[in-house]
Amino acid sequence: NAGVTQTPKFQVLKTGQSMTLQCAQDMNHEYMSWYRQDPGMGLRLIHYSVGAGITDQGEVPNGYNVSRSTTEDFPLRLLSAAPSQTSVYFCASSRLAGVRDTQYFGPGTRLTVL
Amino acid sequence: KNEVEQSPQNLTAQEGEFITINCSYSVGISALHWLQQHPGGGIVSLFMLSSGKKKHGRLIATINIQEKHSSLHITASHPRDSAVYICAVRITYTGNQFYFGTGTSLTVIP
């Protein structure tokens, strides 16, 4: 199994550009989530999904959109990039949103917005 | 206000030392996780705790639900243990979403 994969690993955008961060998992996990990691702060939840067709907002959703058309894929869209969105983005998945389930993380995408 | 506090922020140890990293939280939780973030950035789950103690190799994790506190211990530390260790809790009133501490950066010197 590849686990959780993310592309790209690095990306530089100009302010106002849009892009999609890809996330895929091959473990048939129902629960997928996107986090951002900023210096001096813990990982923060952007959006999450408990299954295909179901998404919801996390702690910091503004400026991001998600969709979940399949169990495997959970892309994160930046609608109009801003310098405040410079961060490292992690996708994660787990079997369920149940309390005993381990999250598996992707390798991360380092995004710089100029 | 951060629901999860870790200490220390940074820790340097000599190889072979016993290491303790602490995590305190302020709200009701359904589970606590310890994660390890490697220097290259990848994050892996070490432990999930809802009570008591767990051990895996040289790593031991404990949780005291009444005191809202957890510790991660590393016995006989080794330079390959150098990483950032992150405490994460599933907070009950948020529908069991994860909230993360800011991490403890550990460096083990040979």
Side-chain angles (χ1 to χ4, degrees), chain B residues 64-86:
Chain B
N64 185 317
I65 298 295
Q66 287 73 28
E67 294 186 4
K68 294 186 169 59
H69 182 268
S70 175
S71 292
L72 176 68
H73 305 286
I74 305 175
T75 62
S77 60
H78 189 277
R80 64 175 175 266
D81 297 325
S82 298
V84 175
Y85 292 84
I86 300 170

Side-chain angles (χ1 to χ4, degrees), chain A residues 10-50:
Chain A
F10 301 94
Q11 184 70 48
V12 179
L13 293 177
K14 294 182 180 177
T15 296
Q17 287 184 316
S18 63
M19 80 158 295
T20 299
L21 279 62
Q22 302 291 346
C23 174
Q25 51 89 12
D26 61 359
M27 297 173 281
N28 202 33
H29 285 169
E30 294 181 2
Y31 184 82
M32 296 185 74
S33 52
W34 277 102
Y35 299 95
R36 58 178 290 172
Q37 185 177 42
D38 300 297
M41 304 184 76
L43 288 149
R44 292 181 292 168
L45 180 65
I46 304 171
H47 284 285
Y48 66 97
S49 169
V50 298

